Amino acid sequence: MATPLVDMRNISIAFGGVQAVDDVSLDLHAGEVVGLLGHNGAGKSTLIKCLSGAYRPDSGEIWIDGKKADIASPRDARHYNIETIYQTLALADNLDAPSNLFLGREITNAFGLVDDARMEAETRKIMSRLNPNFKKINEPVSALSGGQRQSVAIARAVYFNARILIMDEPTAALGVHESKMVADLIQELKAQGLGIFLISHDTREMMELCDRVAVMKNGQLVAAAKVEDVTEDDILSMIILGKKPDHLAA
């Protein structure tokens, strides 16, 4: 097996005596989508926040590309080419796509002024690669559909060389067409060799988009399995009962 892009080993973290994540190990390979499922409070978001630098685990190690990583902040995570796209997207509604893409990392010219023309050209380039149908480059993102907004957030991550992408409920509150747009984006990123952790409550979506699914309950990993080895009912059973299906336990 190739060296995992991400290897989280024996991660544990507690808050006020509550064990949010309890000795969880999970890996992710380049060009793979791993889905994380579980009830609210299962620990999936907390585990991923240890990777994104939002939390520092009490114990355990994170290895990136076969080397031990020290991730104490989101800035550290970006150093390891880890980018997170939260459900809220963190976009500035009054700004257009180029201004959002380069927010806080603006391109400047020789005089130190913001180079709007170059930022627009770079945005068109990355968008043509990710979502060729995206035409509303100069409109404020408040005027964009949910899927188009996701495109801007994903483009921002990819432009700045993300190799590991964390996506939190990327199709929540989107219609069928918009969800398909995001699904196509995920397939495109996967083809480009990115590793993606996908957090969702939608088991059917997970079966369609992911290569593997990992189910958590009460801070522990119930199981991680290839999607072809489990059914939707198996996943629901793991979420509700916290028990591995018999054929995986063997």
Side-chain angles (χ1 to χ4, degrees):
M1 284 289 288
T3 302
L5 196 52
V6 179
D7 193 0
M8 291 186 279
R9 304 177 183 176
N10 310 107
I11 301 294
S12 293
I13 183 170
F15 301 103
V18 176
Q19 197 69 43
V21 176
D22 186 6
D23 195 31
V24 172
S25 296
L26 187 64
D27 62 15
L28 173 72
H29 289 79
E32 181 184 40
V33 182
V34 172
L36 263 175
L37 296 112
H39 286 309
N40 288 338
K44 57 190 188 299
S45 292
T46 303
L47 175 69
I48 287 303
K49 283 178 178 175
C50 292
L51 179 63
S52 71
Y55 297 144
R56 186 146 200 168
D58 299 326
S59 60
E61 297 175 345
I62 297 174
W63 291 62
I64 307 291
D65 274 331
K67 295 174 185 169
K68 191 175 175 184
D70 184 19
I71 301 173
S73 69
R75 182 172 294 201
D76 292 339
R78 282 194 206 103
H79 170 75
Y80 291 103
N81 302 112
I82 300 165
E83 292 278 350
T84 305
I85 298 172
Y86 292 109
Q87 195 176 339
T88 52
L89 296 182
L91 298 175
D93 278 347
N94 59 317
L95 301 179
D96 61 14
S99 298
N100 267 284
L101 200 117
F102 292 98
L103 192 61
R105 297 185 266 196
E106 288 81 4
I107 297 174
T108 54
N109 59 23
F111 303 102
L113 301 172
V114 173
D115 192 337
D116 291 313
R118 189 158 160 230
M119 292 198 309
E120 181 178 329
E122 291 295 310
T123 301
R124 289 185 185 280
K125 199 186 300 179
I126 188 79
M127 281 301 187
S128 69
R129 192 173 116 204
L130 289 176
N131 184 359
N133 296 317
F134 188 94
K135 306 296 181 195
K136 299 180 178 179
I137 295 285
N138 300 119
E139 292 192 28
V141 297
S142 58
L144 304 183
S145 68
Q148 290 167 335
R149 288 165 65 87
Q150 278 283 3
S151 297
V152 174
I154 291 168
R156 181 170 60 190
V158 174
Y159 184 85
F160 289 102
N161 299 316
R163 293 186 61 226
I164 300 150
L165 200 56
I166 299 164
M167 302 183 75
D168 186 6
E169 300 278 3
T171 60
L174 297 186
V176 175
H177 174 71
E178 299 283 291
S179 295
K180 172 75 166 59
M181 184 191 298
V182 174
D184 290 344
L185 279 168
I186 289 169
Q187 292 303 324
E188 177 60 33
L189 297 172
K190 180 179 158 180
Q192 291 175 21
L194 275 75
I196 301 172
F197 276 120
L198 189 62
I199 301 171
S200 177
H201 287 91
D202 188 333
T203 52
R204 184 167 299 159
E205 177 181 76
M206 290 297 216
M207 295 290 282
E208 290 171 0
L209 293 179
C210 299
D211 300 288
R212 283 188 294 146
V213 288
V215 177
M216 290 185 68
K217 186 176 175 68
N218 299 331
Q220 297 182 320
L221 183 69
V222 178
K226 292 180 179 177
V227 291
E228 60 261 33
D229 294 338
V230 289
T231 64
E232 220 175 312
D233 285 344
D234 288 334
I235 294 172
L236 288 169
S237 177
M238 285 191 278
I239 291 170
I240 295 162
L241 302 175
K243 185 168 161 280
K244 247 186 214 183
D246 291 340
H247 69 278
L248 291 180

